[in-house]
Amino acid sequence: MKKEDLPQDKSKLENFTREMCYVKNKKGEYEQVLSSGWDVKAEALEGAWEEVENRIEEAKKSVARGALSPIVYFMELNIMDMSTLAAYTGFWRISIKRHFKPKVFQKLSTKKLLIYAKAFKITIEELKNFNGKD
Amino acid sequence: MEKTKSFDHIQTAHCENGVATSLLRYHGLDFMSEPLAFGLGVGLFYIHIPFMKINHGPAISFRNMPGDIFKRASRSLGIKIKRKKFRSFNAAQEFLDSKIDEGTPVGCQVGVFHLPYFPKEYRFHFNAHNIIVYGKENGRYFVSDPVMETVTSLSASELEDVRFARGPLAPKGHIYFPENVPKIDELKLKKAIVIALRKNSWWMSQIPTAIIGSSGFKYTGKKIRKWPTKIGVRKSSLNLGQIVRMQEEIGTGGGGFRFIYAAFLEKAATILQDDRLYQISDEITKSGDFLRASAVRMAAIYKGRNTSQSHFNEVADGFDEIAELEQKTFLKLYKMKFNINA
């Protein structure tokens, strides 16, 4: 990449930092230059977040319908997947999958709820009282 | 307590290169720079792991395993690195404090998700970020994060969160620092560079597996061709977006690390006084440029402008082109003989 081709587009890094890029200067040598961003990847990041928001919205609706437990919603809200949640809680995936069922979730002990609440950095009340409706 | 003596923050494209560069420079290796650390660390790579998913998308990497760059770079120069992982945060913090009291800046592996000075949009569950902790004052730790323009600080509890993030590649309080740094003369550096060049070209051109090295690009291309019919345009768009982020996002220096490596080759050419390496450097630059062009084509798909099969084919053709170029280049590099004693 030539130095004059390095894009300086707006990105989410604005006000945080600029990133270091390696470009060729007029002499044909490599040089380090800071870039504020590139539209192409800003849009890729945006797309990824749209998908995250979709998943959160889907989870919220499922909780409101009573099809899934709030754990699913908070898992999506924290951009976690099963393996990450399993690592944060120490539960097996198969148990987590069971806890996704509202009926099983109702009967969870306070101890287990506390583990989930800690993983999501919320209180037990927030976890228990989330109904996906508001 | 006062700040440790003359630790200089160095901004780099990639976090691990940055930690390696800063720490080695701190210990007296003034010639160390990011491209050199990356090159000596045999950093350039490509792999497309089938069946595995990262953030619901394809598992692709343009570099070697996290942690390997520093490991290999220091090993090649005969530098010993001390590493420690911990079960409990208290033990981890005690050890960190004792190192800071000694005045030694240390590298820490951290998770990005809880990192407060990162923009929210960049905070996914990625656990192989690297920072340097170099001091402490009023309960706050001084942090030099190589991808940031300036130094920052973290409280003890923030540091606990990031050092004990969980999930894949969990850091477990991983802390590391060079233990003894010998004097490195020019001959030793030359030898290390030659070995690193050979190792890197071996990884890229000699592994007879479709998913690793230059041929990996071809494998990805093949997958891309099938995506629209197999998983639909929407999911394929997300997958392409993920490839672009892996390739271009902060930490790569652009073009999937190719430009950093080309800069290393340029440096190697100067140190070894070997003009053939300038030519290899140009070819890797070209590969980086191809990757940038390919990112633009992929962007047109995930922005929803071009979404027909022919556009996916174009992207895949681009990947084939990169595979061919890198295969040829690295094979040439692999077969090259160097005379370092001259």
Side-chain angles (χ1 to χ4, degrees):
Chain A
M1 185 171 34
K2 293 205 181 88
K3 192 173 175 180
E4 56 270 27
D5 295 340
L6 182 69
Q8 298 286 357
D9 302 336
K10 242 175 139 57
S11 79
K12 293 283 191 275
L13 287 177
E14 203 179 18
N15 302 329
F16 286 93
T17 186
R18 282 174 300 165
E19 55 187 317
M20 186 69 85
C21 290
Y22 284 77
V23 291
K24 283 212 157 191
N25 62 19
K26 287 229 168 65
K27 280 187 269 170
E29 287 160 1
Y30 267 101
E31 199 182 300
Q32 296 173 318
V33 180
L34 290 171
S35 159
S36 57
W38 188 26
D39 279 345
V40 163
K41 61 181 188 185
E43 274 146 12
L45 188 62
E46 234 166 71
W49 276 97
E50 266 167 36
E51 174 64 10
V52 168
E53 258 128 50
N54 276 345
R55 295 181 76 97
I56 295 172
E57 201 47 44
E58 273 311 301
K60 197 173 169 184
K61 277 182 199 152
S62 304
V63 177
R65 264 199 328 245
L68 289 170
S69 78
I71 291 173
V72 182
Y73 170 77
F74 286 105
M75 179 177 87
E76 295 295 350
L77 193 68
N78 284 283
I79 352 174
M80 290 177 176
D81 54 14
M82 284 286 268
S83 59
T84 315
L85 185 57
Y88 270 94
T89 54
F91 295 133
W92 289 7
R93 284 174 190 226
I94 192 159
S95 324
I96 295 177
K97 224 169 190 174
R98 251 171 55 79
H99 301 162
F100 283 176
K101 294 180 189 161
K103 266 193 183 153
V104 179
F105 178 75
Q106 295 296 330
K107 287 184 199 148
L108 277 185
S109 65
T110 317
K111 202 172 142 195
K112 283 184 178 162
L113 286 174
L114 192 66
I115 292 173
Y116 277 115
K118 225 178 136 192
F120 300 136
K121 292 196 180 258
I122 51 174
T123 61
I124 292 190
E125 280 65 42
E126 280 174 282
L127 179 62
K128 261 163 82 181
N129 298 337
F130 180 79
N131 56 17
K133 282 178 182 133
D134 35 46
Chain B
M1 198 194 336
E2 57 183 316
K3 253 191 198 176
T4 30
K5 51 158 189 188
S6 72
F7 172 79
D8 297 321
H9 173 70
I10 301 169
Q11 193 190 1
T12 53
H14 183 60
C15 63
E16 201 185 323
N17 297 340
V19 170
T21 311
S22 301
L23 289 183
L24 293 180
R25 279 181 84 103
Y26 178 84
H27 287 277
L29 300 190
D30 294 330
F31 60 83
M32 195 44 75
S33 65
E34 175 174 25
L36 206 52
F38 185 68
L40 287 175
V42 195
L44 198 75
F45 195 45
Y46 187 80
I47 187 166
H48 184 150
I49 308 169
F51 310 118
M52 202 176 114
K53 291 249 149 86
I54 296 175
N55 287 326
H56 315 287
I60 283 176
S61 178
F62 290 82
R63 45 155 306 187
N64 60 6
M65 276 286 285
D68 273 8
I69 293 176
F70 195 21
K71 200 190 288 172
R72 291 182 185 171
S74 43
R75 197 199 292 155
S76 75
L77 294 171
I79 297 162
K80 278 220 174 74
I81 304 288
K82 173 95 179 156
R83 292 171 186 280
K84 244 175 135 62
K85 285 192 179 186
F86 301 89
R87 288 244 176 110
S88 82
F89 177 70
N90 286 340
Q93 196 186 15
E94 250 167 51
F95 187 80
L96 176 66
D97 285 347
S98 75
K99 284 325 279 182
I100 289 172
D101 282 340
E102 273 174 35
T104 322
V106 288
C108 289
Q109 187 190 338
V110 298
V112 175
F113 186 70
H114 298 293
L115 210 55
Y117 58 79
F118 257 34
K120 185 185 155 283
E121 286 78 5
Y122 279 84
R123 282 153 63 177
F124 286 90
H125 289 276
F126 171 67
N127 284 333
H129 187 55
N130 293 280
I131 60 174
I132 295 172
V133 181
Y134 65 95
K136 189 183 180 184
E137 202 175 63
N138 303 331
R140 282 191 82 80
Y141 290 87
F142 297 129
V143 169
S144 155
D145 187 322
V147 304
M148 303 295 283
E149 279 181 83
T150 52
V151 291
T152 49
S153 67
L154 289 174
S155 73
S157 75
E158 284 165 346
L159 201 59
E160 173 174 358
D161 279 345
V162 294
R163 287 183 75 198
F164 283 85
R166 296 191 205 170
L169 297 171
K172 298 191 177 118
H174 187 187
I175 188 170
Y176 53 91
F177 50 91
E179 221 175 12
N180 76 357
V181 182
K183 271 248 173 305
I184 286 155
D185 56 13
E186 213 182 322
L187 187 65
K188 195 165 188 185
L189 179 63
K190 280 182 177 175
K191 267 188 192 156
I193 289 176
V194 170
I195 291 170
L197 286 173
R198 188 159 164 92
K199 269 192 193 156
N200 217 144
S201 50
W202 182 83
W203 277 106
M204 290 304 289
S205 68
Q206 296 298 307
I207 299 181
T209 314
I211 58 165
I212 298 173
S214 317
S215 49
F217 285 108
K218 212 165 217 158
Y219 180 82
T220 308
K222 214 166 95 191
K223 291 265 165 190
I224 291 175
R225 264 180 242 277
K226 287 185 195 154
W227 277 346
T229 44
K230 215 171 159 193
I231 54 176
V233 170
R234 205 185 78 88
K235 271 219 83 190
S236 340
S237 301
L238 283 170
N239 283 356
L240 292 180
Q242 171 132 328
I243 296 179
V244 170
R245 287 198 300 125
M246 293 298 208
Q247 178 192 319
E248 296 296 336
E249 252 333 328
I250 187 158
T252 62
F257 296 95
R258 264 60 190 166
F259 296 132
I260 303 182
Y261 200 72
F264 163 66
L265 286 165
E266 190 185 272
K267 197 142 199 173
T270 328
I271 295 174
L272 297 175
Q273 291 164 349
D274 194 326
D275 288 345
R276 293 174 299 173
L277 288 175
Y278 285 117
Q279 196 198 338
I280 305 280
S281 168
D282 283 342
E283 273 165 46
I284 300 297
T285 305
K286 205 160 128 196
S287 169
D289 287 335
F290 280 169
L291 280 165
R292 298 279 285 194
S294 149
V296 174
R297 281 195 290 271
M298 289 193 263
I301 293 178
Y302 59 68
K303 272 190 268 179
R305 262 194 278 120
N306 310 331
T307 49
S308 66
Q309 177 68 42
S310 66
H311 294 113
F312 281 91
N313 288 346
E314 256 172 51
V315 172
D317 290 343
F319 273 84
D320 288 349
E321 196 179 18
I322 295 162
E324 208 174 301
L325 173 70
E326 293 211 347
Q327 184 70 34
K328 215 175 70 201
T329 312
F330 281 110
L331 198 63
K332 212 190 307 173
L333 185 61
Y334 183 67
K335 288 185 174 158
M336 232 177 239
K337 295 237 168 359
F338 298 95
N339 186 8
I340 47 173
N341 296 316

